[in-house]
Structures are given as structure tokens and as C-alpha cells.
Amino acid sequence: MTIRLGLLSFSAAVALAAALGTERANAATFLGSPDTSAAPDAFVCASCPPGTSVGYRQFALRRATVEAPESGVLVSASVRAKRIAGTEDPRIAILRPADDGGVSQTVVASAPVLVSSPTAVLQKAEGLHLPVQQGDSVGFLFRAGEVDLGVRMRTRPDGAVQSFTQPCGPCGMDAGTGVELLFDAVVEPDVDEDGLGDESQDPDGGGLGMDWEDDWFEDYEAGDELDEDFDEERASRPRRRALAVLDVDRLRGGHATLLLRVPKAGRVSASVTLPASRRTGAGPFLTTLTGEMRVKRPGRVRLRLDATPAGARVLKRHKSLRTKVVVALFPKRKGPLQLVMRSAGL
């Protein structure tokens, strides 16, 4: 497959850059129940002996992810649970397979979740830093008679559940069917392995964010072909002074500005995007701000961005967002299209 850059519009360039960025830096994964805000049909441990330390995990659930597809950091969790008595906090836990079949599990890390309401409201825990490996799952640990976890009933044989009594290491299998546990967690990639989720916690986006510039297109003249097999010889050439995003500022009234380093005269176009679904961290991407200007000479320029109608609604609802900034430079004279993409807090 080839793409002729001479015919590449800015919107197409944005789409292609987003696709390349997704390949190079994995997106967040949403584990567990697809809808923890749903009213529970029942509670998973209503008949458990009071005082018993128990744990539950979703063993299988259609149209949901229950095991981490990639390594990363669990950064947040939510649970539909109620307080019955006592004060001991339940915990969200990382469960790691202890055998080849993945049935027996070991608790390798956990963090408390505040549950205080007697009516099973949605409880959230944020700012977590629990390391996750590929194949890990998430469990909910609590003391029976003090806390209970809401569930929704599913048509059998969907909704397999694993339960176990604490302490255990490894934990055995006690599966049920037809049950959806109402808890979830967000696992973000951690490319630089610093214990910070790259999308919401790490200022540099794991080394692929604020400090990363995607210059795949820098060496290609307009009309050249970009093949799936990237030319390693071209990739090894010394970097030339290139288009760069130096700073991003959010303004009032649905506007923002970009401070750019522009290496030559031409037309600069920019787009700020974010995933339409923040649960997956991937596309389709929602364009929130756009702008363009003509640059007469090389140097630093400040480009004003205006919100799209959809972007204005998002900006009004959120004080801060983790976004992708895509900037394209179309040279005044025939020359290479330059395209850079950076992660930025807005």
C-alpha cells in the first residue's frame, strides 16, 4: 500500500498521524464492567459468612475486556458497592496468573477504595499507581458483612466470576455464570516504566509525549511514495532543523494558542484532538480545536486555535484534557511536507 503525499490533505494527514501514533504508543485499556453506573440487580456476597475476607474478579464477560492486553499502570478504578457495617476499606487489586491456565491467581498489588454509602452509589479511586503486566486482571477485595459489591445479571453462560477467600496465594477457582461485577479500572501504558500512566499522570507522556516529535514525513518530497516498509537508510540520516511545537496555552472562551518553531515559509495548519471514547483511549478521534496561518519567514510564531462546536462543549465540561496536537507545514515553494504530533495537557 502506498500513499502519495502530494495529494495528502491536512485532514488526511491528521488521520494518518493519529494512526501512526497509536501504533507507536499504546492507548489506555478499560477493564471490567462496561457500565458501572448501572443500578445493581443484586449483591455478590449477600450470603457470605460475616467477617470473612473475600475477593472477586470477572473471569469472562462478553463485549468487555477482563485481562490487560499490555503492561502498564492502573491509574483509576470505580465500583458500585455499599457499606453495611465497620470501617475497613475494600481494595482494588491486581491479580496475576499463578499457573499456565490462568485460573489460579496471586494478588500482587492493591489500593484502598473508599466505600461509605449504604445505598451502593458509584465510588471512585483515582491517582493510583499499581503496576500491571500483560495478562493481569483486576479483583475487588473486601470483608463480608461490612461491604458488598453490586452485580447485574446476564444471560447464561455469560458473566463468569471467580471468587476466593483471603488470604490466598495463589487463589483457586470458584466460577459462577450469569453475573457482571460492577467494578472497573483504567490501565494506561507506561512506556518509560516510571510508574506513571502516560496519558493522565506522566508530564512527558512516557517519553513519547511532550518530548516526542513525529517526523516520518520530513524526508519525503511532495509526490514521493511512503511505503509500509520504512526506508531505514533515510531514517538514519541526521535530523534537520524541523517544524516543532514548543508550547500550548489554553485561553478563555474556547480558544488556545500554539507556540511553533517553523523552519521555512509556508502555510501552517493545526488540529487538537482527543479520543471520542476516553474509556479506550483510541479513535475515533474528536477534533476540538483548529487553526491555520501563513508564515512569511522562518522563526517562532504563535498560532491561534478556535474550538469546533463539539470541542466547545468538551472544553466547557473539562478543566483539563490530555490531547494530541497535530501540526502540518505546507512549504511555500516545492519541498517536503512536515508533520509533527505531540501529546499535550490542555
PDB file of all heavy atoms in Angstrom, residues 29-38 58 61 64-65 74-80 92-93 113 122-125 128 138-140 149 180-187 279:
ATOM      1  N   THR A  29      -6.432   1.084  28.493  1.00  0.00           N
ATOM      2  CA  THR A  29      -7.356  -0.037  28.413  1.00  0.00           C
ATOM      3  C   THR A  29      -8.373   0.071  29.533  1.00  0.00           C
ATOM      4  O   THR A  29      -8.023   0.371  30.675  1.00  0.00           O
ATOM      5  CB  THR A  29      -6.604  -1.376  28.552  1.00  0.00           C
ATOM      6  OG1 THR A  29      -5.647  -1.485  27.499  1.00  0.00           O
ATOM      7  CG2 THR A  29      -7.559  -2.556  28.484  1.00  0.00           C
ATOM      8  N   PHE A  30      -9.621  -0.167  29.195  1.00  0.00           N
ATOM      9  CA  PHE A  30     -10.707  -0.131  30.168  1.00  0.00           C
ATOM     10  C   PHE A  30     -11.063  -1.571  30.516  1.00  0.00           C
ATOM     11  O   PHE A  30     -11.525  -2.331  29.664  1.00  0.00           O
ATOM     12  CB  PHE A  30     -11.906   0.601  29.556  1.00  0.00           C
ATOM     13  CG  PHE A  30     -13.073   0.746  30.491  1.00  0.00           C
ATOM     14  CD1 PHE A  30     -13.088   1.742  31.454  1.00  0.00           C
ATOM     15  CD2 PHE A  30     -14.157  -0.107  30.403  1.00  0.00           C
ATOM     16  CE1 PHE A  30     -14.170   1.878  32.307  1.00  0.00           C
ATOM     17  CE2 PHE A  30     -15.246   0.027  31.250  1.00  0.00           C
ATOM     18  CZ  PHE A  30     -15.244   1.020  32.207  1.00  0.00           C
ATOM     19  N   LEU A  31     -10.818  -1.969  31.766  1.00  0.00           N
ATOM     20  CA  LEU A  31     -11.047  -3.340  32.210  1.00  0.00           C
ATOM     21  C   LEU A  31     -12.311  -3.442  33.063  1.00  0.00           C
ATOM     22  O   LEU A  31     -12.573  -2.571  33.889  1.00  0.00           O
ATOM     23  CB  LEU A  31      -9.862  -3.851  33.047  1.00  0.00           C
ATOM     24  CG  LEU A  31      -8.490  -3.933  32.390  1.00  0.00           C
ATOM     25  CD1 LEU A  31      -7.467  -4.451  33.394  1.00  0.00           C
ATOM     26  CD2 LEU A  31      -8.526  -4.830  31.173  1.00  0.00           C
ATOM     27  N   GLY A  32     -13.059  -4.519  32.868  1.00  0.00           N
ATOM     28  CA  GLY A  32     -14.182  -4.795  33.752  1.00  0.00           C
ATOM     29  C   GLY A  32     -15.524  -4.440  33.162  1.00  0.00           C
ATOM     30  O   GLY A  32     -15.721  -4.473  31.946  1.00  0.00           O
ATOM     31  N   SER A  33     -16.450  -4.073  34.022  1.00  0.00           N
ATOM     32  CA  SER A  33     -17.823  -3.801  33.612  1.00  0.00           C
ATOM     33  C   SER A  33     -17.897  -2.653  32.615  1.00  0.00           C
ATOM     34  O   SER A  33     -17.274  -1.611  32.827  1.00  0.00           O
ATOM     35  CB  SER A  33     -18.675  -3.460  34.839  1.00  0.00           C
ATOM     36  OG  SER A  33     -19.934  -2.936  34.458  1.00  0.00           O
ATOM     37  N   PRO A  34     -18.675  -2.798  31.539  1.00  0.00           N
ATOM     38  CA  PRO A  34     -18.839  -1.695  30.595  1.00  0.00           C
ATOM     39  C   PRO A  34     -19.645  -0.529  31.159  1.00  0.00           C
ATOM     40  O   PRO A  34     -19.609   0.563  30.620  1.00  0.00           O
ATOM     41  CB  PRO A  34     -19.581  -2.346  29.412  1.00  0.00           C
ATOM     42  CG  PRO A  34     -19.369  -3.811  29.580  1.00  0.00           C
ATOM     43  CD  PRO A  34     -19.276  -4.045  31.050  1.00  0.00           C
ATOM     44  N   ASP A  35     -20.397  -0.765  32.247  1.00  0.00           N
ATOM     45  CA  ASP A  35     -21.252   0.296  32.780  1.00  0.00           C
ATOM     46  C   ASP A  35     -21.425   0.133  34.288  1.00  0.00           C
ATOM     47  O   ASP A  35     -22.406  -0.430  34.773  1.00  0.00           O
ATOM     48  CB  ASP A  35     -22.610   0.281  32.087  1.00  0.00           C
ATOM     49  CG  ASP A  35     -23.493   1.459  32.511  1.00  0.00           C
ATOM     50  OD1 ASP A  35     -22.961   2.383  33.161  1.00  0.00           O
ATOM     51  OD2 ASP A  35     -24.692   1.442  32.202  1.00  0.00           O
ATOM     52  N   THR A  36     -20.450   0.635  35.048  1.00  0.00           N
ATOM     53  CA  THR A  36     -20.542   0.534  36.497  1.00  0.00           C
ATOM     54  C   THR A  36     -21.608   1.450  37.090  1.00  0.00           C
ATOM     55  O   THR A  36     -21.978   1.306  38.254  1.00  0.00           O
ATOM     56  CB  THR A  36     -19.187   0.882  37.147  1.00  0.00           C
ATOM     57  OG1 THR A  36     -18.752   2.146  36.648  1.00  0.00           O
ATOM     58  CG2 THR A  36     -18.155  -0.167  36.831  1.00  0.00           C
ATOM     59  N   SER A  37     -22.114   2.398  36.290  1.00  0.00           N
ATOM     60  CA  SER A  37     -23.144   3.301  36.800  1.00  0.00           C
ATOM     61  C   SER A  37     -24.526   2.655  36.825  1.00  0.00           C
ATOM     62  O   SER A  37     -25.466   3.222  37.368  1.00  0.00           O
ATOM     63  CB  SER A  37     -23.199   4.574  35.945  1.00  0.00           C
ATOM     64  OG  SER A  37     -23.587   4.256  34.617  1.00  0.00           O
ATOM     65  N   ALA A  38     -24.664   1.467  36.243  1.00  0.00           N
ATOM     66  CA  ALA A  38     -25.957   0.784  36.209  1.00  0.00           C
ATOM     67  C   ALA A  38     -26.397   0.387  37.618  1.00  0.00           C
ATOM     68  O   ALA A  38     -25.585   0.034  38.476  1.00  0.00           O
ATOM     69  CB  ALA A  38     -25.876  -0.459  35.333  1.00  0.00           C
ATOM     70  N   GLN A  58     -13.839 -10.698  37.582  1.00  0.00           N
ATOM     71  CA  GLN A  58     -14.608 -11.108  36.406  1.00  0.00           C
ATOM     72  C   GLN A  58     -13.749 -12.037  35.586  1.00  0.00           C
ATOM     73  O   GLN A  58     -12.696 -11.654  35.063  1.00  0.00           O
ATOM     74  CB  GLN A  58     -15.005  -9.882  35.584  1.00  0.00           C
ATOM     75  CG  GLN A  58     -16.094 -10.151  34.578  1.00  0.00           C
ATOM     76  CD  GLN A  58     -17.478 -10.202  35.212  1.00  0.00           C
ATOM     77  OE1 GLN A  58     -17.900  -9.258  35.857  1.00  0.00           O
ATOM     78  NE2 GLN A  58     -18.183 -11.304  35.029  1.00  0.00           N
ATOM     79  N   LEU A  61     -16.524 -12.046  30.317  1.00  0.00           N
ATOM     80  CA  LEU A  61     -17.681 -11.175  30.105  1.00  0.00           C
ATOM     81  C   LEU A  61     -17.687 -10.748  28.647  1.00  0.00           C
ATOM     82  O   LEU A  61     -16.721 -10.148  28.163  1.00  0.00           O
ATOM     83  CB  LEU A  61     -17.607  -9.941  31.012  1.00  0.00           C
ATOM     84  CG  LEU A  61     -18.848  -9.062  31.102  1.00  0.00           C
ATOM     85  CD1 LEU A  61     -19.996  -9.816  31.775  1.00  0.00           C
ATOM     86  CD2 LEU A  61     -18.538  -7.786  31.876  1.00  0.00           C
ATOM     87  N   ALA A  64     -16.526  -7.139  26.717  1.00  0.00           N
ATOM     88  CA  ALA A  64     -15.755  -6.436  27.744  1.00  0.00           C
ATOM     89  C   ALA A  64     -14.357  -7.030  27.796  1.00  0.00           C
ATOM     90  O   ALA A  64     -14.140  -8.183  27.418  1.00  0.00           O
ATOM     91  CB  ALA A  64     -16.441  -6.546  29.106  1.00  0.00           C
ATOM     92  N   THR A  65     -13.396  -6.236  28.270  1.00  0.00           N
ATOM     93  CA  THR A  65     -12.018  -6.692  28.453  1.00  0.00           C
ATOM     94  C   THR A  65     -11.801  -6.973  29.933  1.00  0.00           C
ATOM     95  O   THR A  65     -12.071  -6.109  30.776  1.00  0.00           O
ATOM     96  CB  THR A  65     -11.011  -5.626  27.976  1.00  0.00           C
ATOM     97  OG1 THR A  65     -11.281  -5.324  26.605  1.00  0.00           O
ATOM     98  CG2 THR A  65      -9.585  -6.118  28.117  1.00  0.00           C
ATOM     99  N   LEU A  74      -2.217   0.767  36.484  1.00  0.00           N
ATOM    100  CA  LEU A  74      -3.622   1.005  36.806  1.00  0.00           C
ATOM    101  C   LEU A  74      -3.697   2.360  37.503  1.00  0.00           C
ATOM    102  O   LEU A  74      -3.093   2.567  38.559  1.00  0.00           O
ATOM    103  CB  LEU A  74      -4.172  -0.106  37.704  1.00  0.00           C
ATOM    104  CG  LEU A  74      -5.682  -0.098  37.969  1.00  0.00           C
ATOM    105  CD1 LEU A  74      -6.180  -1.517  38.244  1.00  0.00           C
ATOM    106  CD2 LEU A  74      -6.045   0.785  39.164  1.00  0.00           C
ATOM    107  N   VAL A  75      -4.432   3.301  36.905  1.00  0.00           N
ATOM    108  CA  VAL A  75      -4.439   4.677  37.399  1.00  0.00           C
ATOM    109  C   VAL A  75      -5.731   5.063  38.102  1.00  0.00           C
ATOM    110  O   VAL A  75      -5.759   6.019  38.874  1.00  0.00           O
ATOM    111  CB  VAL A  75      -4.165   5.669  36.250  1.00  0.00           C
ATOM    112  CG1 VAL A  75      -2.796   5.415  35.635  1.00  0.00           C
ATOM    113  CG2 VAL A  75      -5.257   5.596  35.182  1.00  0.00           C
ATOM    114  N   SER A  76      -6.822   4.340  37.837  1.00  0.00           N
ATOM    115  CA  SER A  76      -8.091   4.674  38.486  1.00  0.00           C
ATOM    116  C   SER A  76      -9.015   3.468  38.467  1.00  0.00           C
ATOM    117  O   SER A  76      -8.836   2.546  37.664  1.00  0.00           O
ATOM    118  CB  SER A  76      -8.772   5.867  37.804  1.00  0.00           C
ATOM    119  OG  SER A  76      -9.128   5.538  36.472  1.00  0.00           O
ATOM    120  N   ALA A  77      -9.997   3.489  39.365  1.00  0.00           N
ATOM    121  CA  ALA A  77     -10.977   2.408  39.440  1.00  0.00           C
ATOM    122  C   ALA A  77     -12.280   2.969  39.974  1.00  0.00           C
ATOM    123  O   ALA A  77     -12.297   3.990  40.669  1.00  0.00           O
ATOM    124  CB  ALA A  77     -10.471   1.284  40.341  1.00  0.00           C
ATOM    125  N   SER A  78     -13.375   2.313  39.633  1.00  0.00           N
ATOM    126  CA  SER A  78     -14.679   2.683  40.180  1.00  0.00           C
ATOM    127  C   SER A  78     -15.447   1.412  40.506  1.00  0.00           C
ATOM    128  O   SER A  78     -15.247   0.369  39.870  1.00  0.00           O
ATOM    129  CB  SER A  78     -15.467   3.562  39.197  1.00  0.00           C
ATOM    130  OG  SER A  78     -15.646   2.906  37.960  1.00  0.00           O
ATOM    131  N   VAL A  79     -16.319   1.503  41.500  1.00  0.00           N
ATOM    132  CA  VAL A  79     -17.029   0.324  41.976  1.00  0.00           C
ATOM    133  C   VAL A  79     -18.410   0.720  42.478  1.00  0.00           C
ATOM    134  O   VAL A  79     -18.599   1.775  43.076  1.00  0.00           O
ATOM    135  CB  VAL A  79     -16.219  -0.389  43.088  1.00  0.00           C
ATOM    136  CG1 VAL A  79     -15.957   0.543  44.260  1.00  0.00           C
ATOM    137  CG2 VAL A  79     -16.899  -1.655  43.536  1.00  0.00           C
ATOM    138  N   ARG A  80     -19.371  -0.136  42.185  1.00  0.00           N
ATOM    139  CA  ARG A  80     -20.733   0.053  42.674  1.00  0.00           C
ATOM    140  C   ARG A  80     -20.886  -0.844  43.914  1.00  0.00           C
ATOM    141  O   ARG A  80     -21.212  -2.019  43.823  1.00  0.00           O
ATOM    142  CB  ARG A  80     -21.725  -0.351  41.595  1.00  0.00           C
ATOM    143  CG  ARG A  80     -23.163   0.031  41.893  1.00  0.00           C
ATOM    144  CD  ARG A  80     -23.443   1.459  41.498  1.00  0.00           C
ATOM    145  NE  ARG A  80     -24.869   1.768  41.597  1.00  0.00           N
ATOM    146  CZ  ARG A  80     -25.434   2.836  41.082  1.00  0.00           C
ATOM    147  NH1 ARG A  80     -24.716   3.696  40.407  1.00  0.00           N
ATOM    148  NH2 ARG A  80     -26.720   3.063  41.223  1.00  0.00           N
ATOM    149  N   ILE A  92      -9.034  -2.443  45.601  1.00  0.00           N
ATOM    150  CA  ILE A  92      -8.929  -2.873  44.214  1.00  0.00           C
ATOM    151  C   ILE A  92      -7.564  -3.547  44.083  1.00  0.00           C
ATOM    152  O   ILE A  92      -6.568  -3.040  44.614  1.00  0.00           O
ATOM    153  CB  ILE A  92      -9.076  -1.686  43.227  1.00  0.00           C
ATOM    154  CG1 ILE A  92      -9.410  -2.186  41.831  1.00  0.00           C
ATOM    155  CG2 ILE A  92      -7.897  -0.762  43.243  1.00  0.00           C
ATOM    156  CD1 ILE A  92     -10.859  -2.585  41.664  1.00  0.00           C
ATOM    157  N   ALA A  93      -7.510  -4.704  43.425  1.00  0.00           N
ATOM    158  CA  ALA A  93      -6.285  -5.498  43.442  1.00  0.00           C
ATOM    159  C   ALA A  93      -5.887  -5.928  42.047  1.00  0.00           C
ATOM    160  O   ALA A  93      -6.741  -6.138  41.171  1.00  0.00           O
ATOM    161  CB  ALA A  93      -6.472  -6.737  44.327  1.00  0.00           C
ATOM    162  N   VAL A 113     -10.204   1.535  48.334  1.00  0.00           N
ATOM    163  CA  VAL A 113     -11.290   2.275  47.701  1.00  0.00           C
ATOM    164  C   VAL A 113     -12.258   2.688  48.808  1.00  0.00           C
ATOM    165  O   VAL A 113     -12.750   1.826  49.549  1.00  0.00           O
ATOM    166  CB  VAL A 113     -12.033   1.422  46.651  1.00  0.00           C
ATOM    167  CG1 VAL A 113     -13.167   2.226  46.018  1.00  0.00           C
ATOM    168  CG2 VAL A 113     -11.079   0.923  45.583  1.00  0.00           C
ATOM    169  N   LEU A 122     -21.894   4.917  43.138  1.00  0.00           N
ATOM    170  CA  LEU A 122     -20.643   4.660  42.433  1.00  0.00           C
ATOM    171  C   LEU A 122     -19.493   5.328  43.180  1.00  0.00           C
ATOM    172  O   LEU A 122     -19.493   6.538  43.395  1.00  0.00           O
ATOM    173  CB  LEU A 122     -20.736   5.185  41.001  1.00  0.00           C
ATOM    174  CG  LEU A 122     -19.561   4.843  40.082  1.00  0.00           C
ATOM    175  CD1 LEU A 122     -19.468   3.342  39.871  1.00  0.00           C
ATOM    176  CD2 LEU A 122     -19.706   5.565  38.751  1.00  0.00           C
ATOM    177  N   GLN A 123     -18.518   4.522  43.585  1.00  0.00           N
ATOM    178  CA  GLN A 123     -17.353   5.017  44.310  1.00  0.00           C
ATOM    179  C   GLN A 123     -16.151   4.988  43.379  1.00  0.00           C
ATOM    180  O   GLN A 123     -15.974   4.030  42.615  1.00  0.00           O
ATOM    181  CB  GLN A 123     -17.070   4.143  45.532  1.00  0.00           C
ATOM    182  CG  GLN A 123     -18.280   3.885  46.409  1.00  0.00           C
ATOM    183  CD  GLN A 123     -18.615   5.064  47.321  1.00  0.00           C
ATOM    184  OE1 GLN A 123     -17.871   6.044  47.364  1.00  0.00           O
ATOM    185  NE2 GLN A 123     -19.716   4.967  48.032  1.00  0.00           N
ATOM    186  N   LYS A 124     -15.291   6.018  43.459  1.00  0.00           N
ATOM    187  CA  LYS A 124     -14.140   6.102  42.565  1.00  0.00           C
ATOM    188  C   LYS A 124     -12.850   6.252  43.354  1.00  0.00           C
ATOM    189  O   LYS A 124     -12.813   6.909  44.397  1.00  0.00           O
ATOM    190  CB  LYS A 124     -14.297   7.281  41.602  1.00  0.00           C
ATOM    191  CG  LYS A 124     -15.468   7.136  40.637  1.00  0.00           C
ATOM    192  CD  LYS A 124     -15.506   8.279  39.643  1.00  0.00           C
ATOM    193  CE  LYS A 124     -16.642   8.109  38.647  1.00  0.00           C
ATOM    194  NZ  LYS A 124     -16.675   9.205  37.643  1.00  0.00           N
ATOM    195  N   ALA A 125     -11.799   5.648  42.834  1.00  0.00           N
ATOM    196  CA  ALA A 125     -10.444   5.814  43.371  1.00  0.00           C
ATOM    197  C   ALA A 125      -9.565   6.285  42.225  1.00  0.00           C
ATOM    198  O   ALA A 125      -9.490   5.623  41.186  1.00  0.00           O
ATOM    199  CB  ALA A 125      -9.928   4.499  43.946  1.00  0.00           C
ATOM    200  N   LEU A 128      -4.045   6.368  41.221  1.00  0.00           N
ATOM    201  CA  LEU A 128      -3.409   5.124  41.626  1.00  0.00           C
ATOM    202  C   LEU A 128      -2.168   4.843  40.779  1.00  0.00           C
ATOM    203  O   LEU A 128      -2.025   5.364  39.665  1.00  0.00           O
ATOM    204  CB  LEU A 128      -4.395   3.962  41.508  1.00  0.00           C
ATOM    205  CG  LEU A 128      -5.729   4.134  42.243  1.00  0.00           C
ATOM    206  CD1 LEU A 128      -6.610   2.908  42.049  1.00  0.00           C
ATOM    207  CD2 LEU A 128      -5.503   4.415  43.721  1.00  0.00           C
ATOM    208  N   VAL A 138      -8.154  -7.661  37.275  1.00  0.00           N
ATOM    209  CA  VAL A 138      -8.438  -6.800  38.424  1.00  0.00           C
ATOM    210  C   VAL A 138      -9.442  -7.493  39.321  1.00  0.00           C
ATOM    211  O   VAL A 138     -10.433  -8.067  38.845  1.00  0.00           O
ATOM    212  CB  VAL A 138      -8.976  -5.436  37.955  1.00  0.00           C
ATOM    213  CG1 VAL A 138      -9.314  -4.553  39.152  1.00  0.00           C
ATOM    214  CG2 VAL A 138      -7.965  -4.742  37.057  1.00  0.00           C
ATOM    215  N   GLY A 139      -9.203  -7.430  40.623  1.00  0.00           N
ATOM    216  CA  GLY A 139     -10.116  -8.016  41.591  1.00  0.00           C
ATOM    217  C   GLY A 139     -10.572  -6.984  42.607  1.00  0.00           C
ATOM    218  O   GLY A 139      -9.969  -5.911  42.745  1.00  0.00           O
ATOM    219  N   PHE A 140     -11.644  -7.316  43.316  1.00  0.00           N
ATOM    220  CA  PHE A 140     -12.171  -6.443  44.369  1.00  0.00           C
ATOM    221  C   PHE A 140     -12.178  -7.247  45.662  1.00  0.00           C
ATOM    222  O   PHE A 140     -12.819  -8.299  45.752  1.00  0.00           O
ATOM    223  CB  PHE A 140     -13.575  -5.968  44.002  1.00  0.00           C
ATOM    224  CG  PHE A 140     -14.135  -4.935  44.945  1.00  0.00           C
ATOM    225  CD1 PHE A 140     -13.524  -3.700  45.080  1.00  0.00           C
ATOM    226  CD2 PHE A 140     -15.276  -5.204  45.698  1.00  0.00           C
ATOM    227  CE1 PHE A 140     -14.041  -2.739  45.940  1.00  0.00           C
ATOM    228  CE2 PHE A 140     -15.803  -4.250  46.553  1.00  0.00           C
ATOM    229  CZ  PHE A 140     -15.186  -3.017  46.680  1.00  0.00           C
ATOM    230  N   LEU A 149     -20.615  -5.914  47.058  1.00  0.00           N
ATOM    231  CA  LEU A 149     -20.403  -5.447  45.684  1.00  0.00           C
ATOM    232  C   LEU A 149     -21.641  -5.690  44.844  1.00  0.00           C
ATOM    233  O   LEU A 149     -22.163  -6.803  44.802  1.00  0.00           O
ATOM    234  CB  LEU A 149     -19.207  -6.195  45.088  1.00  0.00           C
ATOM    235  CG  LEU A 149     -18.919  -6.013  43.596  1.00  0.00           C
ATOM    236  CD1 LEU A 149     -18.567  -4.573  43.282  1.00  0.00           C
ATOM    237  CD2 LEU A 149     -17.787  -6.952  43.160  1.00  0.00           C
ATOM    238  N   GLU A 180     -22.407 -10.054  36.188  1.00  0.00           N
ATOM    239  CA  GLU A 180     -21.497  -8.964  35.830  1.00  0.00           C
ATOM    240  C   GLU A 180     -21.167  -8.187  37.088  1.00  0.00           C
ATOM    241  O   GLU A 180     -22.046  -7.580  37.694  1.00  0.00           O
ATOM    242  CB  GLU A 180     -22.134  -8.037  34.790  1.00  0.00           C
ATOM    243  CG  GLU A 180     -21.279  -6.838  34.451  1.00  0.00           C
ATOM    244  CD  GLU A 180     -21.986  -5.850  33.529  1.00  0.00           C
ATOM    245  OE1 GLU A 180     -22.999  -6.255  32.898  1.00  0.00           O
ATOM    246  OE2 GLU A 180     -21.539  -4.692  33.451  1.00  0.00           O
ATOM    247  N   LEU A 181     -19.921  -8.217  37.502  1.00  0.00           N
ATOM    248  CA  LEU A 181     -19.479  -7.469  38.673  1.00  0.00           C
ATOM    249  C   LEU A 181     -19.373  -5.991  38.316  1.00  0.00           C
ATOM    250  O   LEU A 181     -18.734  -5.629  37.325  1.00  0.00           O
ATOM    251  CB  LEU A 181     -18.113  -7.985  39.134  1.00  0.00           C
ATOM    252  CG  LEU A 181     -18.037  -9.481  39.482  1.00  0.00           C
ATOM    253  CD1 LEU A 181     -16.585  -9.868  39.759  1.00  0.00           C
ATOM    254  CD2 LEU A 181     -18.923  -9.806  40.672  1.00  0.00           C
ATOM    255  N   LEU A 182     -19.953  -5.138  39.127  1.00  0.00           N
ATOM    256  CA  LEU A 182     -19.997  -3.715  38.802  1.00  0.00           C
ATOM    257  C   LEU A 182     -18.780  -2.976  39.354  1.00  0.00           C
ATOM    258  O   LEU A 182     -18.877  -2.132  40.246  1.00  0.00           O
ATOM    259  CB  LEU A 182     -21.303  -3.108  39.309  1.00  0.00           C
ATOM    260  CG  LEU A 182     -22.578  -3.623  38.612  1.00  0.00           C
ATOM    261  CD1 LEU A 182     -23.822  -2.984  39.199  1.00  0.00           C
ATOM    262  CD2 LEU A 182     -22.510  -3.387  37.111  1.00  0.00           C
ATOM    263  N   PHE A 183     -17.618  -3.332  38.830  1.00  0.00           N
ATOM    264  CA  PHE A 183     -16.417  -2.541  39.086  1.00  0.00           C
ATOM    265  C   PHE A 183     -15.555  -2.543  37.830  1.00  0.00           C
ATOM    266  O   PHE A 183     -15.671  -3.432  36.980  1.00  0.00           O
ATOM    267  CB  PHE A 183     -15.639  -3.029  40.311  1.00  0.00           C
ATOM    268  CG  PHE A 183     -14.913  -4.336  40.145  1.00  0.00           C
ATOM    269  CD1 PHE A 183     -13.614  -4.379  39.656  1.00  0.00           C
ATOM    270  CD2 PHE A 183     -15.519  -5.525  40.501  1.00  0.00           C
ATOM    271  CE1 PHE A 183     -12.934  -5.581  39.519  1.00  0.00           C
ATOM    272  CE2 PHE A 183     -14.846  -6.734  40.371  1.00  0.00           C
ATOM    273  CZ  PHE A 183     -13.555  -6.759  39.878  1.00  0.00           C
ATOM    274  N   ASP A 184     -14.714  -1.518  37.699  1.00  0.00           N
ATOM    275  CA  ASP A 184     -13.860  -1.385  36.520  1.00  0.00           C
ATOM    276  C   ASP A 184     -12.563  -0.698  36.899  1.00  0.00           C
ATOM    277  O   ASP A 184     -12.399  -0.233  38.040  1.00  0.00           O
ATOM    278  CB  ASP A 184     -14.579  -0.608  35.407  1.00  0.00           C
ATOM    279  CG  ASP A 184     -14.983   0.795  35.829  1.00  0.00           C
ATOM    280  OD1 ASP A 184     -14.172   1.481  36.479  1.00  0.00           O
ATOM    281  OD2 ASP A 184     -16.114   1.213  35.530  1.00  0.00           O
ATOM    282  N   ALA A 185     -11.651  -0.628  35.957  1.00  0.00           N
ATOM    283  CA  ALA A 185     -10.371   0.033  36.177  1.00  0.00           C
ATOM    284  C   ALA A 185      -9.813   0.505  34.844  1.00  0.00           C
ATOM    285  O   ALA A 185     -10.124  -0.058  33.801  1.00  0.00           O
ATOM    286  CB  ALA A 185      -9.381  -0.913  36.861  1.00  0.00           C
ATOM    287  N   VAL A 186      -8.997   1.548  34.894  1.00  0.00           N
ATOM    288  CA  VAL A 186      -8.321   2.078  33.710  1.00  0.00           C
ATOM    289  C   VAL A 186      -6.831   1.799  33.837  1.00  0.00           C
ATOM    290  O   VAL A 186      -6.205   2.176  34.835  1.00  0.00           O
ATOM    291  CB  VAL A 186      -8.570   3.581  33.542  1.00  0.00           C
ATOM    292  CG1 VAL A 186      -7.774   4.131  32.353  1.00  0.00           C
ATOM    293  CG2 VAL A 186     -10.057   3.861  33.350  1.00  0.00           C
ATOM    294  N   VAL A 187      -6.274   1.115  32.851  1.00  0.00           N
ATOM    295  CA  VAL A 187      -4.842   0.817  32.801  1.00  0.00           C
ATOM    296  C   VAL A 187      -4.237   1.608  31.651  1.00  0.00           C
ATOM    297  O   VAL A 187      -4.649   1.456  30.507  1.00  0.00           O
ATOM    298  CB  VAL A 187      -4.587  -0.689  32.613  1.00  0.00           C
ATOM    299  CG1 VAL A 187      -3.087  -0.965  32.477  1.00  0.00           C
ATOM    300  CG2 VAL A 187      -5.177  -1.484  33.773  1.00  0.00           C
ATOM    301  N   ARG A 279     -12.698   5.941  27.503  1.00  0.00           N
ATOM    302  CA  ARG A 279     -12.503   4.639  28.138  1.00  0.00           C
ATOM    303  C   ARG A 279     -11.477   3.804  27.397  1.00  0.00           C
ATOM    304  O   ARG A 279     -10.744   3.045  27.998  1.00  0.00           O
ATOM    305  CB  ARG A 279     -13.832   3.874  28.197  1.00  0.00           C
ATOM    306  CG  ARG A 279     -14.802   4.447  29.219  1.00  0.00           C
ATOM    307  CD  ARG A 279     -16.043   3.588  29.315  1.00  0.00           C
ATOM    308  NE  ARG A 279     -16.883   3.980  30.426  1.00  0.00           N
ATOM    309  CZ  ARG A 279     -18.004   3.370  30.763  1.00  0.00           C
ATOM    310  NH1 ARG A 279     -18.417   2.332  30.059  1.00  0.00           N
ATOM    311  NH2 ARG A 279     -18.709   3.780  31.796  1.00  0.00           N
TER     312      ARG A 279
END
